Amino acid sequence: MFDTLTPPEADKILKLMAMFAADERPEKVDLGVGVYRTPDGRTPVMKAVKQAEERIWQSQESKSYVGLAGDPGFHHAMGDLILGDTADPTRVAAIATPGGTGAVRQIMELMRNTSPDATLWISDPSWPNHMAIAQYLRLNVRRYRYYDVETGGLDRDGMMADLASIQRGDLVLFHGCCHNPSGAELTAQDWRDLGALLDRTGAIPFIDIAYQGFGEGLDEDAEGTRILAQMLPEVLIAASCSKNFGLYRDRAGVAFALASGEEAKGKAQAALASLNRQNYSFPPDHGARVVDTILHDPELAATWWTELTAMREGMLATRAALTQALQAETGSDRFGFLASHRGMFSLIGATPDQVETLRNDHAIYVVGDGRMNVAGLTPASIPKVAKALAQVLT
Ligand code: LMR
């Protein structure tokens, strides 16, 4: 049976990871995959995570199954973190999932099962796996404009013009914060305007929030999600703990379905739990339990908050330093938009050829669409990267 297989199209982020690993040049700089790095290039286990793991190791007496939906303590902790007090818990259905991608997948499957004729609207650009999963599930997909390459900011008019065609029951996928790959953010007013549009048309927001705490702050980064949760009867949310808890390989994520009332919530809960059962039975527990332990303990939560704040402030400082270095190299504000972007990523406006030149001639790895992981820069690599960008892109 394997003889007939055709190789699947490689994900551009994963392909780049393999190319970087195979590159033997010692001066190589990895600005590809979305993994946070300290100024000396490490991705350490967070202290709060280590301490929570120690407590779990001491106290956990069984590894028996938890439940199809996962640990309710984890759902509540993540619900509080993301929604604050904007959503009455009686309308919130939740399942633990293997990472944020697991939640994206479950929500897209829910959509396929319940609204096969609806359209999923995905921003252009978006994380490549959004499109890949939607196509794998054969969903009807349309793109909406999001990023203005000329200004390096949001293409608000393009977005609103494209979303004017949404229909009742369609799902519109938004990045809760730290848009991947562009780095361009929606303002609170943009979220309110989008909420009004969705309310008018009866379309449903599907928010992927994978970088809460990496942009402006935990509450600030959840503002858009909270605005929509208050304005609309139905909201779908896929959340990841990979980045803000540094739990990448432990695969901790959650899918929320906010329903119009308790009865609908019960139906959503049953549908989501059944999707877990069909796809992998019980969701992974370890990472979710670590998050639950941290968020329910004031001391651990404070340690985590301090670590997360340091990560965010480090990324903001890196953005400022890179922008300044580029200004010095180019004598212009051409790359000024980098300082206004938020999160790990920015689109730097490089063509595929320029991306290749950066890789071949300068050992600098950015994703093919010109996405740079700012968190991959270090004080030592910033001058070299700024020089190369100025040379190749101008
Ligand atoms: C990224 O966008 O680089 C990360 O979310 C890692 C991934 O799975 O693609």
Side-chain angles (χ1 to χ4, degrees), residues 13 32-34 127 180 211 243 345 371:
I13 298 171
V33 68
W127 182 50
N180 179 3
Y211 298 90
K243 326 283 163 151
F345 306 120
R371 186 191 82 170

Short mmCIF file of all heavy atoms in Angstrom, two decimals, residues 13 32-34 127 180 211 243 345 371, ligand 1:
data_model
loop_
_atom_site.label_atom_id
_atom_site.label_comp_id
_atom_site.label_asym_id
_atom_site.label_seq_id
_atom_site.Cartn_x
_atom_site.Cartn_y
_atom_site.Cartn_z
N ILE A 13 7.32 25.86 7.52
CA ILE A 13 8.03 26.11 8.77
C ILE A 13 8.86 24.88 9.15
O ILE A 13 10.04 24.98 9.52
CB ILE A 13 7.04 26.47 9.89
CG1 ILE A 13 6.29 27.76 9.53
CG2 ILE A 13 7.75 26.64 11.24
CD1 ILE A 13 5.12 28.11 10.45
N GLY A 32 13.32 31.22 12.27
CA GLY A 32 12.21 30.49 11.64
C GLY A 32 11.12 30.10 12.62
O GLY A 32 10.26 30.91 12.96
N VAL A 33 11.17 28.86 13.10
CA VAL A 33 10.06 28.32 13.90
C VAL A 33 9.77 29.18 15.13
O VAL A 33 10.69 29.76 15.73
CB VAL A 33 10.33 26.84 14.29
CG1 VAL A 33 11.50 26.72 15.26
CG2 VAL A 33 9.08 26.18 14.86
N GLY A 34 8.49 29.23 15.49
CA GLY A 34 8.05 30.09 16.59
C GLY A 34 8.33 29.50 17.95
O GLY A 34 7.45 28.97 18.63
N TRP A 127 -1.18 31.56 9.74
CA TRP A 127 -0.32 30.41 10.05
C TRP A 127 -0.63 29.32 9.00
O TRP A 127 -1.80 28.99 8.79
CB TRP A 127 -0.67 29.92 11.46
CG TRP A 127 0.15 28.78 11.97
CD1 TRP A 127 1.49 28.67 11.98
CD2 TRP A 127 -0.36 27.60 12.60
NE1 TRP A 127 1.87 27.49 12.57
CE2 TRP A 127 0.75 26.82 12.95
CE3 TRP A 127 -1.64 27.13 12.89
CZ2 TRP A 127 0.61 25.58 13.59
CZ3 TRP A 127 -1.77 25.91 13.52
CH2 TRP A 127 -0.65 25.14 13.86
N ASN A 180 0.08 35.78 13.58
CA ASN A 180 1.11 34.91 13.01
C ASN A 180 0.78 34.68 11.54
O ASN A 180 -0.22 34.02 11.27
CB ASN A 180 1.11 33.58 13.78
CG ASN A 180 2.12 32.58 13.27
OD1 ASN A 180 2.89 32.86 12.36
ND2 ASN A 180 2.11 31.38 13.85
N TYR A 211 -0.59 33.10 21.76
CA TYR A 211 0.54 33.89 22.25
C TYR A 211 0.12 34.86 23.34
O TYR A 211 0.69 35.95 23.46
CB TYR A 211 1.18 34.64 21.08
CG TYR A 211 1.74 33.71 20.04
CD1 TYR A 211 0.95 33.28 18.97
CD2 TYR A 211 3.03 33.22 20.15
CE1 TYR A 211 1.44 32.39 18.03
CE2 TYR A 211 3.54 32.34 19.22
CZ TYR A 211 2.74 31.92 18.16
OH TYR A 211 3.24 31.04 17.25
N LYS A 243 3.51 28.38 24.13
CA LYS A 243 4.46 29.48 24.15
C LYS A 243 4.48 30.17 25.52
O LYS A 243 5.54 30.37 26.10
CB LYS A 243 4.11 30.52 23.07
CG LYS A 243 3.51 29.96 21.81
CD LYS A 243 4.52 29.32 20.89
CE LYS A 243 3.80 28.44 19.89
NZ LYS A 243 4.41 28.26 18.62
N PHE A 345 6.40 37.38 15.92
CA PHE A 345 6.62 37.40 14.47
C PHE A 345 6.44 38.77 13.85
O PHE A 345 5.67 39.61 14.33
CB PHE A 345 5.66 36.43 13.79
CG PHE A 345 5.72 35.05 14.35
CD1 PHE A 345 4.61 34.46 14.92
CD2 PHE A 345 6.91 34.34 14.34
CE1 PHE A 345 4.67 33.19 15.46
CE2 PHE A 345 6.99 33.07 14.88
CZ PHE A 345 5.87 32.49 15.44
N ARG A 371 8.54 35.73 7.05
CA ARG A 371 8.24 35.83 8.47
C ARG A 371 9.50 35.66 9.30
O ARG A 371 10.22 34.68 9.14
CB ARG A 371 7.23 34.75 8.90
CG ARG A 371 6.79 34.94 10.36
CD ARG A 371 6.02 33.75 10.88
NE ARG A 371 6.91 32.68 11.32
CZ ARG A 371 6.50 31.61 11.99
NH1 ARG A 371 5.21 31.46 12.28
NH2 ARG A 371 7.35 30.67 12.37
C1 LMR B 1 5.11 28.57 14.36
O1 LMR B 1 4.22 29.22 13.79
O2 LMR B 1 6.29 28.63 14.02
C2 LMR B 1 4.75 27.68 15.51
O3 LMR B 1 3.40 27.80 15.82
C3 LMR B 1 5.21 26.29 15.34
C4 LMR B 1 4.39 25.53 14.35
O4 LMR B 1 3.87 24.49 14.74
O5 LMR B 1 4.28 25.92 13.19
#
